[in-house]
Amino acid sequence: MMNSAVSAGNMGLAHGALRRLFRFLLRGAAFVAALLPCGPLSAGEILAAVAANFSAPMKRIASEFEKETGHKVLISNGTVGKFYSQIKNGAGFEVLVSSDRETPDKLVHDGLAVESTRFTYAIGKLVLWSADKDKVDSRGEVLKSGEFQYLALANPKFAVYGAAGETVLRKLGLLDAVKTRIVTAENITQAYQFVATGNADLGFVALSQVIGKDGKIAAGSAWIVPQDHYQPIRQDVILLAAGKDKAPALALVNYFRTEKARSIIRAYGYDF
């Protein structure tokens, strides 16, 4: 009888211990759940500042990146000079897809970018282009003949391709001669629009803006400016300080190294 009583007492103690353990586990589970976001984990969003000349290939790269990772790329196109000012003033961009090397250099110096993440993803090419198929010859002699009214040029102070176009005019000894005919655009996209809409007879644009699927000029006429006429346009991508602790932002930077991204870049006429 005594053994039965002891056994029953032990079973009661055991059940009590199990109940206490169960309550402890429930409280622990509730604590962990409180730390997790409600609902399923959402994909990351990346704020990317993208040089205007690279807007078209960037759309395709972002689309492929989003399919593969589930992350969302929010793209802002513009001139790197203005992006630099915005980032200095606290703009929350996490990745810079630049049209030069100098802007990433300055951002690293200012402590606003992660130097170890930067690399040259493309080398851009400058083109003198007209929407008129008979306007621009294959050697750019139209600049010397003066058979045009207006020449579109992105603002050299902010736009790398505009600065390259100005360098070409200076090298050819034509800058002073055509200065009164230059229509200054805010960026390379606007320079292209000036020419495409007929507000300028011709203009300096990026090859990526006028190249077709077959690797030739899609429409109009163009002179692909020899690269010894201007400094190589080395375009760097870099992780900005606002994205240094964000895995999706770093993943986007590294995606530029993939063969899929490189094939898109190559299709738009860029070198490496």
Side-chain angles (χ1 to χ4, degrees), residues 48-52 76-93 95-100 102-104 106-107 110 112 154-160 184-188 190 240:
V50 180
S76 180
N77 296 308
T79 59
V80 293
K82 291 193 174 181
F83 280 141
Y84 174 71
S85 297
Q86 292 169 357
I87 294 166
K88 284 272 288 184
N89 289 317
F93 296 119
V95 172
L96 174 64
V97 183
S98 185
S99 59
D100 67 357
E102 291 72 24
T103 301
K106 290 191 289 185
L107 290 168
D110 296 337
L112 296 172
N155 191 332
K157 293 181 180 179
F158 300 107
V160 176
T184 303
E186 181 178 348
N187 54 45
I188 199 72
Q190 191 177 64
L240 299 173

Side-chain angles (χ1 to χ4, degrees), residues 141-154:
E141 294 294 328
V142 64
L143 290 172
K144 295 179 182 178
S145 71
E147 294 179 1
F148 63 93
Q149 186 174 8
Y150 294 115
L151 169 68
L153 185 72

Side-chain angles (χ1 to χ4, degrees), residues 17 49 127 154 157 177 181 187 222 235:
V127 173
K157 293 181 180 179
R181 303 188 190 190
N187 54 45
Q235 305 190 185

Side-chain angles (χ1 to χ4, degrees), residues 247-263:
L250 180 58
L252 177 61
V253 171
N254 289 332
Y255 192 74
F256 279 81
R257 297 184 185 273
T258 66
E259 186 50 43
K260 184 168 286 186
R262 289 171 70 86
S263 66

Side-chain angles (χ1 to χ4, degrees), residues 1 50 57 72 115 117 127 159 192 215 247 252 271:
M1 203 62 166
V50 180
K72 178 69 176 176
E115 185 174 16
T117 65
V127 173
Y192 170 84
L252 177 61
D271 283 335

